[in-house]
């Protein structure tokens, strides 16, 4: 109601029932214009994190994995980055003598092992991946000789090794009974430990710029990069390639998919820590592990289309905040609510993630045009010549389905230039609650990905919209997004 009252130019009668008054965004005529904050884009800003013990299963025993990753490579020309790690990296010991990828036993296949070993073949398998790889190793057990032995094999075998992590979410070491935290353990003690391990592991493998440092889940500044950097000296610094943080925002679907909530989470959690890293080191900041709800996801939240909208919005908001890459976590095969794919079914979040990949494909720069205060998100990307390439429009209003009236938002874009029309692909689902594994309709540009294989199905559908005087209007329903191709 407030919107309509404020926009005097619109006569209420002109606005179809259920559609909010239009919101207008000007597309910058070139990168840097319009007083927006711009961030450089990684060639592949969306990545996948595989839980350490489950990584060999994902690569050798889950058919969809290779196809789901190669679908993104087809869009961007670059294989998505992967990270191998998680809680079980700090439960794992290297065993040079085993010919297996991993050795462990669990009472129930839905469980993660409490302890495991892995052999050189684990790293050889990681070395077959054509995209960049981050390998997470153990610090919790406080057995640096074993970790150095593993790191040497990682360096030798993983040809696209981007970085090594030394410990996952170390703030939880006391709770997990990890030996390294048997005395006092706090951000300062952990930072000193990271500084020490970075030097000892980095020098043992004879490589600088090799460590992905940080890797906490608890919020900065307490558990953040800035306090770690303050502890580093020049020797330690040279081994750090970049800094990483984790995050699982949680909440119900309504809260999770809310754009203002996502924008506020990214701003309050990361903006200052990212800026500190940029200013003090000039290095990258990545989201090393994330997904909707911690602990494998929540059954009534993580597999939904609302979570797909969050996945897309979150990845883009992070990218627009100078976070270079975001790795969405994949846990125990067969017990993973937030996974993008599994053995038998696709997860709705893959649809949102793919829309984000399609927006950023081949682009060099991203900016958020909205201020994060409403349900409406607008992201624009620019090519190497600084020209606006694509725009993504998100209406994050929750829609529960069940025959209720579905709201819609009209986005008016100006500054589109002298083009007659633009094309767009729609990301849609029957409701925020829609799930692929329940047979609910979800699609991106009219297409789906086949359960079990991740092969695309259906004809690609582009909508066309007329542009007049450099301006066009797009309707985006509640819980929908539209990817507009400007050239
Ligand atoms: C990203 O970092 C660059 C410097 O590396 C800075 O110029 C730019 O303003 C930053 N963008 C945002 C959105 O913070
Ligand atoms: C592959 O997955 C199936 C189904 O869960 C399982 O029975 C089999 O042991 C797995 N094989 C390997 C090599 O992990
Ligand atoms: C940095 O600290 C380590 C001890 O943690 C020390 O061995 C090294 O010499 C120091 N480097 C510099 C440049 O002070």
């Amino acid at each position: 109601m407030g919107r309509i009252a404020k926009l005097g130019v619109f006569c209420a009668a002109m606005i179809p029932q259920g559609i909010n008054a239009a919101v207008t965004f000007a597309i910058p005529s070139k990168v840097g214009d319009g007083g927006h904050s711009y961030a450089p884009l990684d060639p592949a800003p969306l990545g996948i994190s595989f839980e350490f013990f489950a990584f060999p299963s994902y690569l050798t025993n889950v058919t969809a994995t290779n196809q789901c990753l190669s679908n993104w490579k087809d869009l961007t020309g670059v294989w998505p980055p992967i990270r191998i790690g998680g809680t079980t990296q700090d439960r794992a010991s290297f065993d040079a003598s085993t010919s297996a990828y991993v050795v462990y036993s669990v009472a129930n296949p839905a469980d993660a092992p409490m302890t495991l070993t892995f052999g050189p073949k684990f790293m050889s398998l990681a070395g077959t991946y054509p995209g960049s790889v981050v390998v997470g190793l153990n610090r919790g057990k406080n057995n640096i000789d074993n970790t150095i032995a593993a790191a040497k094999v990682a360096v030798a075998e993983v040809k696209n090794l981007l970085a090594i992590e030394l410990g996952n979410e170390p703030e939880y070491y006391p709770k997990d009974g990890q030996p390294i935290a048997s005395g006092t353990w706090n951000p300062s003690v952990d930072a000193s430990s990271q500084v020490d391990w970075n030097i000892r592991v980095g020098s043992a493998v004879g490589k600088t710029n090799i460590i992905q440092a940080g890797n906490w889940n608890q919020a900065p500044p307490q558990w953040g990069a800035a306090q770690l950097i303050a502890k580093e000296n020049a020797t330690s610094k040279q081994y750090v390639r970049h800094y990483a943080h984790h995050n699982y925002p949680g909440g119900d679907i309504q809260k999770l998919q809310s754009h203002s909530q996502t924008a506020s989470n990214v701003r309050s959690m990361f903006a200052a820590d990212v800026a500190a890293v940029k200013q003090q080191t000039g290095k990258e900041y990545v989201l090393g592990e994330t997904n909707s709800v911690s602990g494998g996801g929540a059954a009534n939240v993580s597999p939904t289309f609302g979570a797909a909208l969050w996945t897309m919005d979150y990845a883009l908001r992070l990218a627009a905040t100078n976070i270079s890459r975001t790795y969405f976590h994949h846990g125990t095969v067969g017990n993973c609510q937030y996974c993008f794919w599994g053995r038998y079914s696709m997860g709705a979040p893959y649809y949102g993630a793919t829309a984000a990949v399609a927006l950023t494909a081949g682009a060099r720069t991203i900016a958020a045009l909205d201020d994060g205060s409403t349900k409406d998100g607008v992201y624009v990307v620019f090519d190497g010549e600084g020209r606006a390439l694509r725009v993504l429009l998100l209406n994050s209003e929750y829609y529960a389905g069940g025959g209720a009236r579905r709201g819609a938002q009209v986005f008016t874009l100006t500054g589109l230039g002298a083009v007659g029309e633009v094309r767009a692909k729609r990301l849609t689902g029957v409701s925020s609650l829609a799930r692929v594994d329940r047979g609910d309709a979800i699609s991106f540009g009219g297409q789906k990905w086949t359960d079990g294989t991740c092969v695309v199905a259906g004809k690609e559908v582009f909508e066309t919209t007329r542009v007049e005087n450099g301006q066009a209007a797009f309707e985006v329903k509640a819980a929908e997004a539209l990817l507009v191709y400007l050239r």
Side-chain angles (χ1 to χ4, degrees), residues 293-305:
V293 185
S294 64
N300 55 351
V301 176
S302 303
T304 66
F305 186 62

Side-chain angles (χ1 to χ4, degrees), residues 192 195-196 199 231-236:
S192 299
V195 165
D196 177 43
I199 294 172
K231 287 262 179 213
E232 289 173 338
N233 67 16
T235 313
S236 182

Side-chain angles (χ1 to χ4, degrees), residues 39 47 132 165 184 219 243 268 271-272 343 366 466 479:
S132 79
E165 285 175 25
T184 304
Y243 296 85
S268 63
R343 278 204 179 92
I366 185 167
R466 273 182 50 151

Side-chain angles (χ1 to χ4, degrees), residues 130-141:
S132 79
V133 180
V134 173
V135 174
L137 298 177
N138 196 325
R139 183 160 51 102
K141 281 192 195 289

Side-chain angles (χ1 to χ4, degrees), residues 17 19 48 55 63 79 87 120 144 163 199 207 244 279 312 319 340 358 361 377 383 386 453 459:
Q17 208 190 358
I19 300 184
I48 300 294
F55 166 70
T63 307
W79 283 89
T87 307
I144 198 165
I199 294 172
K207 271 190 177 300
Q279 281 155 22
M312 178 193 75
F340 292 3
D383 67 13
T453 65
K459 189 174 159 345

